[in-house]
């Protein structure tokens, strides 16, 4: 675990939303790290705070969301070889420094390519816009870079795609365009927020293969946000599991799937139908439902649904983190 | 053991839905979008047929054609009604259709849009009973309470509005509504796709329990192959409006005979980090149903394509008992199915 | 579906209460938080209340002339008397009038010798409060021969403020009547057009297009001129309301059609069809209720247009006829530049129009924001 390899350190991040109905603690004390050129999965269902975490990292939060605590340390490898550690939470979200990080150092691709691409500009125009902001290159050069990027993401006829509008492309192609836009500036970290959830499964396979190839080629780190356990198993080296704004388990991917410690993760694995295992038996569903974010249960947030619930313990206080070594840690009273 | 020869509840025969494409100032008919292009299958009574395919393959359109919410262009939909016997839904008179709708119902994908936000649970679930003069007053409320209990909701909540419930609960309300008229057959159109992973299991369990309890038959439409495998007895695969393969679930999943089925199965991300990543990645995009390729629609993306594939469209034929495929080389190809999962 | 214990009771009851709220109630909760909208509501409430109690609030009737005080400036209110002492209630001085020998215009000078305190709830002219109920109590009045012209008088010597108050009865209601008429035609045709499509849709849409392409102001003028001049003023009032609504129903119909088009293919409408709901039931139970919030917004935002329309027509002399008065009729007298310069208070009715229109806009915007994203959260 050499420090030289750390790229992003999120320490005790807290992002809260003050709404008229109460406070939503969307991210409530989340810590994790991403290392250079490695992949991290962020697993969780809706309401767990995974998307808000990535928006916090990029300081793209909308009101009433606000980072109220914690640090996001980015290890910036400057051109002169020195490394500078910057606390993103301390930056002005609209300032020059944050803007050069966004896109230049950390890029993001989203779930719905149709709504993330501007429908009134051509694809090429949008890629070039990003290039022009961060680098000062003549237009012909920017165009060349953009077309080259489209070629790298395996777009058929990159020159023609450059002049096409988003609505003229299929879902898979739009996603490729977005990846091209994100990687055009060779960021050190790519945040992929459910990039294949809206795609068909054969297109998803194409995009996942593409991302794996691109990572080998460009060497960027990827933070993969998804609720699809199959994608997690295939794409990431280590993962964190989030529930209601907290990290409940952190482990390398093999440990997570073959030796899950947190009851939520165990129950999740048991509840999904798996290809190749046909049985008419009922699935082992997790009882109850995700509580409303305005009524987060006290103590361990999972306790009302937990099959291993221990009365008098789990609802009283937040569970401590237990380290199992080998980077496997859990937040649960079971291991006290 | 599911038996294809057991009495069917629904038989679809050569169902087609073609949308005319009209272009230009002079409103010329330039062609057709063949959303559904001649599909045939049978749902055995008391069992589940899974209809699987990617977006644009026509599976949802097929579902609405069967309900006659969309008027089919041609074909037959024979429903074995419990009182009136076999009836062709496509040709049914308005009166007959009204009767058939008591026995055929649908559950939709998005529980937020399938419930009228301005109606209470009581209103929503009781509407089928009111409109069809099945019950009134106190009896109506009792039946609604029963239905809510059957799907795992509290009858005390019947005066609440849909916005007060989570996605999974809303889907339960939709299921309760579909059960109100005690149908024999339910089309479930992507019923769990819009739900969280941990809720999907609950909903699938509910659907299975109800099937046993009320002897229901399901047409389960979905793009999620793992879910379809879990609930279906028979699975049919659609591609650009056509049926490319159909067989009993285990047979299809372990021994697919169509290259598209093989590719589909291999594309599904496997929640097993050690599983060998030997994925077939298809080239190209799903063609649009308004301009499908010549011959076999899948040939431009098929690894095994030969010249005759672009010239002649393969017919759907029975290659093994209960196993139909539309491929010229179904007998000779050695395709890979799923391997059993360790976890 | 079991769940382990403990959920804080306080949170439960709040969620529970919220769960029982209908869409309309939720919308009202959201609306309440919009300060501008509430301010608009308050202003409109005051205006409409005043309108209802016109006779009470206005010291004089709409036709009362004070021949000796033609084109008088607004009366000054005083709180401090000649000895420098604070007086309550405020008082006014008597007015002496002289005619300027050169311009033949009246010159009014206050006479400190005559002191008339304002009488709140004092007695003045008799008027009908509600129906046959008559009274002579006014919100404020001064004893004869004192006069109180808060906003001056017109060239006939009539108190402008009283006429503004009485005129509000026309100005504030003709818009409502017009919108109601517009809505009735527009919502019905828009729904039918949107739901059934096809030939019905085509016919209705072309009709709307033809009507909307006729220039609006000339159309208003033509229709207003078509209202017979020998009709009694009340009939003229309704005639003007009909004229206003005939021009705007098209826009409303188009918007309603758009909403219905969007809703027509919703899953819940399809589900209703699949359970044998009749077309009538679908339209009345499923489509129409879901258009209410939109229609309310559209209507609220259409009212200012109507008010301005009536004002414009009356200003040009083609709208309301005497003895009925509206703010537009009052502004008619401010048409000449000479009047503007010498009696600038004649423009005050315009401020009332402005206040009303702006308030309706705030309320309409507030409604639109409150109706907007309705998510299950």
């Amino acid at each position: 675990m050499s420090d030289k390899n750390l790229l992003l350190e999120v320490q005790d991040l807290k992002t809260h939303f003050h709404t008229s109905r109460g406070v939503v603690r969307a991210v409530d004390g989340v810590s994790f790290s991403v290392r250079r050129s490695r992949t991290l999965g962020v697993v969780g269902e809706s309401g767990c705070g995974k998307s808000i975490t990535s928006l916090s990292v990029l300081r793209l939060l909308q009101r009433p969301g606000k980072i109220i605590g914690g640090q996001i340390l980015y290890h910036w490898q400057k051109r002169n070889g020195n490394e500078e550690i910057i606390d993103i939470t301390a930056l002005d979200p609209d300032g020059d420094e944050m803007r050069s990080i966004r896109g230049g150092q950390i890029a993001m691709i989203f779930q719905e390519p149709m709504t993330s691409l501007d429908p009134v500009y051509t694809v090429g125009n949008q890629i070039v816009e990003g290039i022009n902001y961060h680098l000062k290159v003549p237009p012909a050069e920017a165009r060349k870079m953009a077309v080259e990027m489209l070629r790298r993401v395996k777009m058929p006829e990159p020159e023609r795609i450059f002049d096409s509008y988003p609505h003229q492309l299929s879902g898979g192609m739009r996603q490729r365009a977005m990846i091209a836009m994100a990687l055009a500036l060779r960021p050190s970290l790519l945040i992929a927020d459910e990039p294949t959830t809206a795609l068909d499964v054969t297109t998803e396979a194409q995009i996942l293969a593409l991302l794996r190839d691109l990572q080998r080629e460009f060497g960027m780190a990827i933070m993969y946000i998804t609720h699809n356990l199959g994608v997690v198993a295939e794409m990431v080296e280590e993962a964190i599991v989030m529930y209601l704004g907290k990290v409940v388990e952190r482990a390398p991917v093999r440990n997570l799937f073959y030796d899950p410690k947190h009851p939520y993760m165990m129950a999740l694995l048991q509840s999904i139908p798996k290809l190749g295992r046909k049985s008419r038996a009922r699935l082992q569903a997790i009882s109850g439902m995700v509580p409303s974010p305005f009524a987060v249960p006290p103590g361990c947030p999972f306790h009302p649904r937990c099959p291993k619930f221990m009365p008098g313990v789990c609802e009283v206080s937040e569970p401590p983190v237990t380290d199992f070594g080998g980077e496997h840690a859990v937040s649960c009273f079971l291991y006290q | 053991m599911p038996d294809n020869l057991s009495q069917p509840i629904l038989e679809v025969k050569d169902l087609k839905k073609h949308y005319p494409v009209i272009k230009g100032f002079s409103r010329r008919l330039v062609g057709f979008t063949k959303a559904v292009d001649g599909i045939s299958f049978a749902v055995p009574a008391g069992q589940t047929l899974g209809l699987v395919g990617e977006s644009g393959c026509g599976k949802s359109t097929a579902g609405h054609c069967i309900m006659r919410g969309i008027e089919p262009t041609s074909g037959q939909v024979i429903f074995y009604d419990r009182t009136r016997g076999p009836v062709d839904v496509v040709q049914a008179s308005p009166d007959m259709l009204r009767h058939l709708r008591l026995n055929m119902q649908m559950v939709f994908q998005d529980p937020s849009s399938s419930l009228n936000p301005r109606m209470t649970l009581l209103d929503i679930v009781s509407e089928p009973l009111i409109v069809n003069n099945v019950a009134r007053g106190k009896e109506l409320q009792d039946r609604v309470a029963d239905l809510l209990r059957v799907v795992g909701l509290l009858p005390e909540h019947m005066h609440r509005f849909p916005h007060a419930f989570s996605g999974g609960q809303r889907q339960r309300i939709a299921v309760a509504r579909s059960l109100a008229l005690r149908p024999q057959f339910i089309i479930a159109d992507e019923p769990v796709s819009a739900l969280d992973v941990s809720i999907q299991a609950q909903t699938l369990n509910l659907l299975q329990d109800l099937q046993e309890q009320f002897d229901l038959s399901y047409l389960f439409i979905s793009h999620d192959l793992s879910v379809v495998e879990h609930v279906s007895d028979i699975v049919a695969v659609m591609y650009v409006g056509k049926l490319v393969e159909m067989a009993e679930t285990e047979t299809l999943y372990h021994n697919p005979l169509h290259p598209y089925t093989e590719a589909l199965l291999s594309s599904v991300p496997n929640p097993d980090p050690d599983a060998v990543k030997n994925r077939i990645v298809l080239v190209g995009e799903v063609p649009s149903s308004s301009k499908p390729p010549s011959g076999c629609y899948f040939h431009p993306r098929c690894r095994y394509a030969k010249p005759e594939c672009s010239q002649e469209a393969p017919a759907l034929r029975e290659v093994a008992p209960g196993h139909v495929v539309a491929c010229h080389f179904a007998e000779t190809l050695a395709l890979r199915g799923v391997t059993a999962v360790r976890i | 579906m079991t769940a382990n214990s403990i959920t804080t009771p306080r949170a439960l009851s709040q969620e529970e209460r919220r769960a029982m709220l209908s869409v309309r109630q939720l919308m009202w909760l959201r609306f309440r938080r919009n300060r501008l909208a509430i301010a608009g509501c308050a202003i409109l409430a005051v205006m409409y209340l005043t309108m209802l109690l016109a006779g009470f609030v206005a010291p004089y009737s709409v036709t009362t002339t004070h021949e000796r005080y033609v084109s008088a400036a607004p009366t000054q209110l005083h709180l401090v008397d000649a000895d420098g002492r604070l007086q309550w209630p405020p008082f006014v001085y008597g007015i002496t009038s002289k005619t300027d020998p050169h311009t033949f215009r009246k010159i009014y000078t206050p006479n400190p010798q005559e002191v008339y305190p304002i009488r709140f709830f004092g007695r003045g002219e008799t008027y009908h409060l509600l129906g046959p109920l008559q009274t002579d109590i006014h919100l404020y009045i001064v004893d004869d021969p004192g006069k109180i012209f808060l906003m001056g008088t017109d060239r006939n010597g009539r108190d402008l403020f009283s006429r503004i108050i009485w005129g509000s009865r026309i100005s504030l209601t003709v818009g409502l009547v017009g919108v109601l008429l517009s809505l009735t035609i527009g919502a019905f045709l828009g729904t039918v057009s949107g739901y059934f499509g096809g030939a019905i849709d085509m016919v209705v849409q072309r009709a709307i297009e033809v009507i909307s392409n006729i220039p609006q102001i000339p159309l208003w003028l033509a229709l207003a001129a078509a209202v017979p001049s020998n009709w009694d003023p009340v009939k003229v009032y309704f005639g003007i309301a009909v004229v206003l609504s005939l021009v705007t129903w098209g826009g409303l119909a188009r918007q309603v059609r758009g909403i219905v088009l969007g809703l027509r293919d919703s899953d819940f409408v399809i589900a209703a069809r699949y359970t044998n709901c009749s077309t009538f039931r679908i339209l009345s139970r499923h489509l129409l209720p879901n258009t209410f919030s939109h229609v309310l917004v559209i209507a609220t935002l259409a009212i200012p247009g109507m008010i301005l329309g009536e004002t414009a027509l009356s200003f040009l002399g083609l709208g309301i006829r005497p003895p009925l008065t509206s703010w537009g009729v009052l502004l008619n007298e401010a048409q000449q530049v000479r009047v503007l310069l010498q009696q600038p208070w004649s423009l005050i009715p315009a401020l009332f129009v402005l206040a009303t229109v702006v308030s309706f806009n705030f309320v309409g915007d507030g409604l639109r924001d409150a109706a907007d994203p309705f998510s299950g959260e």
Side-chain angles (χ1 to χ4, degrees):
Chain A
M1 233 249 291
S2 71
D3 271 347
K4 265 277 149 240
N5 269 333
L6 279 177
L7 181 63
L8 183 78
E9 285 177 278
V10 175
Q11 293 169 349
D12 203 35
L13 178 66
K14 290 195 168 83
T15 303
H16 292 182
F17 287 70
H18 287 266
T19 71
S20 54
R21 283 175 66 191
V23 181
V24 176
R25 299 187 179 81
V27 179
D28 201 21
V30 163
S31 306
F32 61 88
S33 335
V34 184
R35 283 201 276 279
R36 282 186 203 283
S37 305
R38 306 282 298 269
T39 44
L40 174 78
V42 180
V43 184
E45 302 177 282
S46 54
C48 72
K50 54 195 197 300
S51 284
I52 303 290
T53 304
S54 61
L55 290 177
S56 302
V57 168
L58 281 173
R59 303 301 302 275
L60 287 171
L61 287 173
Q62 305 267 38
R63 280 202 302 160
K66 225 175 140 232
I67 300 178
I68 65 142
Q71 292 181 299
I72 301 174
L73 301 175
Y74 178 67
H75 296 237
W76 193 334
Q77 190 109 59
K78 298 278 181 164
R79 250 181 286 236
N80 54 20
N82 292 343
E83 187 180 271
E84 190 185 329
I85 302 183
I86 298 188
D87 182 4
I88 289 179
T89 56
L91 296 178
D92 172 13
D94 293 320
D96 287 334
E97 205 167 7
M98 190 64 225
R99 280 169 184 266
S100 58
I101 291 179
R102 225 183 268 134
Q105 299 293 315
I106 307 179
M108 188 155 164
I109 56 178
F110 301 84
Q111 174 174 345
E112 271 294 342
M114 197 59 219
T115 48
S116 335
L117 291 172
D118 195 325
V120 299
Y121 291 100
T122 61
V123 166
N125 203 315
Q126 296 185 52
I127 301 178
V128 163
E129 183 182 15
I131 295 176
N132 280 333
Y133 182 80
H134 291 272
L135 306 170
K136 296 290 169 272
V137 292
E141 176 73 27
R143 189 199 161 97
K144 234 177 65 167
M145 287 173 69
V147 171
E148 181 56 34
M149 205 58 231
L150 286 171
R151 197 189 319 274
R152 292 279 194 83
V153 298
K154 308 248 187 39
M155 279 280 216
E157 301 176 84
E159 298 269 350
R160 189 178 64 86
I161 299 293
F162 185 93
D163 293 318
S164 302
Y165 288 89
H167 68 266
Q168 295 172 310
L169 309 179
S170 70
M173 287 167 81
R174 281 184 227 136
Q175 201 57 294
R176 290 175 197 273
M178 196 150 69
I179 294 174
M181 216 164 35
L183 297 180
L185 293 152
R186 310 280 190 279
S188 308
L189 172 64
L190 175 68
I191 302 181
D193 191 349
E194 308 258 21
T196 55
T197 304
L199 302 174
D200 283 320
V201 71
T202 52
T203 314
E204 178 177 45
Q206 292 174 334
I207 299 294
L208 292 180
L210 175 67
L211 284 170
R212 265 203 298 270
D213 289 339
L214 287 174
Q215 193 193 16
R216 263 198 297 272
E217 196 180 331
F218 290 155
M220 72 265 180
I222 304 184
M223 199 168 113
Y224 226 110
I225 301 173
T226 178
H227 63 265
N228 186 325
L229 292 175
V231 169
V232 174
E234 299 228 352
M235 296 295 292
V236 311
E237 288 148 336
E238 51 186 340
I240 61 172
V241 182
M242 287 183 70
Y243 188 81
L244 275 183
K246 299 202 194 309
V247 177
V248 298
E249 186 163 0
R250 169 169 51 93
V253 72
R254 290 188 83 255
N255 295 47
L256 194 65
F257 280 83
Y258 299 135
D259 189 25
K261 301 278 187 214
H262 196 279
Y264 174 57
M265 187 64 199
M266 297 195 289
L268 216 50
L269 281 170
Q270 297 281 15
S271 73
I272 53 175
K274 287 170 206 65
L275 215 53
R277 195 184 61 179
K278 164 81 184 167
S279 83
R280 287 303 252 159
R282 299 169 96 249
L283 294 165
Q284 294 215 24
I286 307 180
S287 64
M289 11 160 251
V290 182
S292 151
F294 297 101
V296 174
C300 168
F302 187 59
H303 81 255
R305 309 169 73 192
C306 185
K308 308 250 171 68
F309 170 64
M310 298 182 289
V313 179
C314 297
E315 75 273 30
V316 173
S317 57
E318 274 192 38
V321 177
T322 310
D323 205 320
F324 288 91
E327 312 243 340
H328 193 160
V330 187
S331 173
C332 183
F333 280 110
L334 275 178
Y335 305 101
Q336 269 298 69
Chain B
M1 207 67 220
D3 182 358
N4 274 7
L5 301 173
S6 66
Q7 180 70 13
I9 185 90
L10 183 86
E11 273 182 299
V12 173
K13 295 186 179 165
D14 202 33
L15 184 64
K16 288 189 186 160
K17 179 62 192 171
H18 294 175
Y19 291 100
V21 176
I22 301 199
K23 283 228 162 103
F25 215 56
S26 47
R27 321 282 293 177
R28 274 178 9 250
L29 181 67
V30 295
F32 288 95
T33 297
K34 300 186 180 150
V36 179
D37 199 20
I39 59 173
S40 308
F41 58 81
V43 182
Q47 292 179 25
T48 303
L49 185 136
L51 194 56
V52 132
E54 297 180 290
S55 48
C57 72
K59 52 195 197 298
S60 271
T61 310
H64 286 289
C65 282
I66 293 172
M67 293 293 296
R68 248 181 100 190
I70 296 179
E71 285 293 331
T73 308
S74 70
Q76 294 179 302
V77 174
I78 315 283
F79 179 68
Y80 288 76
D81 187 88
R82 61 161 73 98
T83 45
R84 310 267 177 104
V87 179
D88 185 1
V89 180
V90 179
Q91 304 292 337
S93 67
D95 278 334
M96 179 60 92
L97 195 58
R98 254 194 294 278
H99 169 83
L100 289 174
R101 292 247 171 92
L102 301 177
N103 289 325
M104 298 167 73
Q105 279 298 310
M106 192 178 222
V107 175
F108 298 81
Q109 172 173 359
D110 185 0
S112 304
S113 59
S114 66
L115 303 175
N116 186 336
R118 294 178 188 264
M119 289 167 76
T120 60
L121 255 61
L122 175 61
D123 292 333
I124 292 172
V125 178
S126 65
E127 186 169 49
L129 298 170
I130 296 175
V131 168
N132 292 289
N133 293 319
V134 173
R136 253 192 305 207
K138 178 87 182 28
E139 195 201 335
L140 188 68
Q141 281 219 5
D142 288 340
R143 283 182 70 143
V144 171
D146 276 338
L147 285 165
L148 290 177
R149 247 178 257 121
V150 152
V151 298
L153 293 170
L154 295 174
E156 298 87 79
H157 293 171
M158 68 165 74
H159 297 291
R160 293 192 182 182
F161 289 85
H163 67 79
F165 296 90
S166 71
Q169 290 176 314
R170 282 183 215 166
Q171 200 61 306
R172 287 169 188 268
I173 301 167
V175 170
R177 174 180 60 193
S178 72
L179 289 174
L181 296 169
R182 305 230 179 100
Q184 303 162 254
F185 172 69
I186 292 185
I187 301 181
D189 190 356
E190 307 261 20
V192 297
S193 305
L195 305 176
D196 268 327
V197 172
S198 63
I199 306 298
Q200 289 190 10
Q202 288 178 5
T203 313
L204 291 174
N205 285 346
L206 173 68
L207 288 174
Q208 283 188 300
D209 290 341
L210 292 172
Q211 183 171 43
E212 277 174 36
Q213 197 175 350
F214 297 106
D215 198 28
L216 293 169
S217 313
Y218 288 141
L219 177 65
F220 196 97
I221 301 175
S222 176
H223 65 274
D224 189 332
L225 289 150
S226 344
V227 166
V228 167
E229 182 188 17
H230 182 81
V231 300
S232 313
D233 299 293
I234 303 174
V235 177
V237 181
M238 280 184 75
Y239 186 75
V240 194
K242 286 197 190 295
L243 215 52
V244 297
E245 186 169 1
M246 180 164 65
E248 277 175 24
T249 313
E250 289 310 288
T251 314
L252 190 100
Y253 276 64
H254 292 282
N255 289 315
L257 294 179
H258 194 286
Y260 177 60
T261 313
E262 182 194 34
L264 257 190
L265 291 170
S266 105
S267 303
V268 179
N270 199 337
D272 184 352
D274 277 350
V276 173
K277 291 191 195 29
N278 203 345
R279 165 160 308 147
I280 299 168
V281 179
L282 290 176
V283 181
E285 311 270 330
V286 179
S288 119
S289 36
S290 50
K291 273 210 278 294
S294 59
C296 169
Y297 290 173
F298 188 60
H299 88 259
R301 309 169 80 196
C302 181
R303 326 198 284 171
Y304 313 96
K306 298 272 189 344
E308 47 264 62
C309 298
S310 62
Q311 287 150 11
E312 197 191 322
L316 193 66
R317 55 206 172 84
E318 195 169 30
V319 166
H323 194 159
V324 295
V325 195
C327 177
H328 295 301
F329 302 103
E331 290 91 341
T332 52
L333 292 173
L335 300 177
R336 214 171 61 216
V338 298
T339 43
V341 173
R342 186 171 13 142
I343 306 175
Chain C
M1 238 190 4
T2 54
N4 298 325
S5 56
I6 303 202
T7 22
T8 36
R10 194 165 41 99
L12 242 188
S13 63
Q14 196 196 36
E15 293 293 306
E16 247 175 11
R17 268 184 285 123
R18 212 164 176 273
M20 308 277 295
L21 295 176
S22 71
V23 174
R24 208 169 302 175
Q25 288 165 312
L26 285 174
M27 199 169 124
W28 167 242
L29 279 182
R30 269 201 294 273
F31 180 82
R32 257 186 359 193
R33 292 203 293 265
N34 186 331
R35 290 211 198 102
L36 275 180
I38 294 295
C41 269
I43 295 176
L44 290 175
V46 167
M47 284 199 169
Y48 277 92
L49 196 61
T50 308
M51 176 196 91
L52 284 174
L53 302 172
F56 173 67
V57 175
Y60 305 105
S61 88
V62 71
T63 49
T64 312
T65 50
H66 310 270
E67 296 93 2
R68 300 206 355 240
Y69 301 100
V70 163
S71 296
T75 321
Q76 271 193 309
L77 297 176
H78 299 275
L79 282 169
V80 178
D81 68 7
D83 306 313
R85 272 178 307 186
L86 215 60
Q87 291 276 25
W88 184 266
F91 58 91
V92 300
Y93 291 132
I95 307 168
T96 37
S97 67
K98 277 203 307 266
T99 314
D100 183 305
H102 300 290
T103 60
F104 292 104
R105 273 168 51 216
K106 294 260 189 192
I107 302 179
Y108 300 102
T109 36
N111 180 356
Q113 310 298 34
E114 295 172 11
V115 174
Y116 298 102
I118 294 181
R119 306 227 178 275
F120 292 111
F121 297 92
R123 295 183 174 275
E125 300 167 16
T126 336
Y127 61 91
H128 289 273
L129 181 59
L130 275 167
L133 184 64
Q134 282 192 329
T135 181
D136 61 355
I137 301 187
H138 292 267
L139 179 63
Y140 72 93
I141 189 80
V142 295
D143 295 332
D144 270 333
K147 304 287 177 195
I148 178 161
F149 305 126
L150 278 185
M151 290 175 183
T153 61
D154 64 8
R155 59 168 177 266
N156 289 333
R158 296 177 290 197
D159 174 32
L160 191 57
F161 183 68
S162 300
R163 279 164 65 77
I164 289 177
I165 299 295
W166 285 103
S168 71
R169 291 199 154 181
I170 304 295
S171 294
L172 287 179
T173 55
V174 74
L176 295 181
V177 173
V179 160
L180 254 156
L181 286 172
S182 265
L183 257 187
T184 315
I185 316 173
F188 172 69
L189 283 177
T191 307
V192 159
S193 183
Y195 187 75
F196 292 107
I200 300 178
D201 188 24
M202 253 235 322
V203 165
V204 172
Q205 289 308 106
R206 299 295 91 80
I208 295 177
E209 270 159 34
V210 164
I211 295 181
S212 359
N213 280 326
I214 303 175
Q216 202 175 44
I217 296 187
L219 179 62
W220 264 344
L221 296 181
L223 287 172
V227 175
S229 48
N230 53 5
W231 271 10
D232 73 72
V234 176
K235 270 167 119 176
V236 169
Y237 167 87
F238 281 105
I240 297 298
V242 168
V243 164
L244 291 173
S245 67
L246 278 179
V247 172
T248 41
W249 73 264
L252 282 174
R254 244 197 291 214
Q255 298 201 39
V256 171
R257 171 182 178 269
I259 298 165
V260 169
L261 274 181
L263 287 174
R264 183 183 60 174
D265 295 317
S266 303
D267 283 346
F268 67 84
V269 172
I270 301 178
R273 247 185 260 135
Y274 285 169
T275 47
N276 286 333
C277 286
S278 64
T279 305
F280 178 73
R281 191 184 171 94
I282 291 178
L283 284 174
S284 57
R285 273 224 97 183
H286 291 279
L287 282 175
L288 231 43
N290 279 301
T291 63
F292 278 163
S293 40
H294 292 106
V295 165
L296 186 59
V297 174
I298 295 170
T300 310
L301 292 173
I303 294 176
M306 296 253 177
I307 293 180
L308 289 171
E310 179 276 318
T311 306
L313 283 175
S314 304
F315 174 75
L316 294 172
L318 287 168
I320 303 297
R321 317 262 166 83
L324 289 180
T325 298
S326 76
W327 295 338
V329 170
L330 294 175
L331 285 173
N332 192 310
E333 309 194 351
Q335 271 181 354
Q336 297 171 304
V337 175
R338 173 179 64 84
V339 170
L340 277 182
L341 289 175
Q342 293 173 349
Q343 288 110 40
W345 53 87
S346 326
L347 277 181
I348 293 180
L351 290 179
F352 278 75
V353 174
L354 184 67
T356 312
V357 165
V358 166
S359 301
F360 267 113
N361 275 321
F362 283 162
V363 171
D365 282 343
L367 283 173
R368 187 184 43 216
D369 291 342
D372 231 354
F374 177 53
S375 61
E377 278 161 331

